[in-house]
Amino acid sequence: AQIAVEIKGGIDQAGVLERIGAALKSLRRTRQENPDSVTVLILPDVAMTERALDDFSINVETVTHLCSLKEILEDEHGREGFFQILQL
């Protein structure tokens, strides 16, 4: 299976949200080219706002997995889940 991963960082909430739009566009293109592909978006916690989560809930056809950067880096369970998504 094709797996596409986008990582967006930064501490400025507005800047991160702007970059999320670009990530969604890229992941949308991936899913259009290969509807069976797995798409993962990794975001810093500052971007995990209620509004952002609402936006992702309407983009489930674009982003198959949404992950917190902190969760992957600092939580063993979160990291293992991420590795499972990547089939590692």
Side-chain angles (χ1 to χ4, degrees), residues 37-67:
S37 62
V38 174
T39 55
V40 182
L41 182 56
I42 301 172
L43 299 174
D45 284 13
V46 69
M48 296 286 200
T49 64
E50 189 174 326
R51 164 110 191 242
L53 296 175
D54 286 346
D55 287 349
F56 291 118
S57 70
I58 62 171
N59 281 292
V60 293
E61 73 284 349
T62 300
V63 179
T64 58
H65 299 280
L66 179 62
C67 301

Side-chain angles (χ1 to χ4, degrees), residues 11-82:
I11 58 171
D12 172 39
Q13 192 174 38
V16 170
L17 293 176
E18 183 178 308
R19 290 187 295 275
I20 289 171
L24 288 173
K25 185 177 179 181
S26 174
L27 294 174
R28 189 173 296 116
R29 192 171 339 141
T30 299
R31 296 280 292 173
Q32 287 172 345
E33 292 172 7
N34 182 354
D36 295 327
S37 62
V38 174
T39 55
V40 182
L41 182 56
I42 301 172
L43 299 174
D45 284 13
V46 69
M48 296 286 200
T49 64
E50 189 174 326
R51 164 110 191 242
L53 296 175
D54 286 346
D55 287 349
F56 291 118
S57 70
I58 62 171
N59 281 292
V60 293
E61 73 284 349
T62 300
V63 179
T64 58
H65 299 280
L66 179 62
C67 301
S68 158
L69 184 60
K70 182 177 180 180
E71 181 180 53
I72 293 171
L73 294 176
E74 298 179 7
D75 179 54
E76 186 175 337
H77 223 64
R79 188 170 33 259
E80 286 299 318
F82 176 64

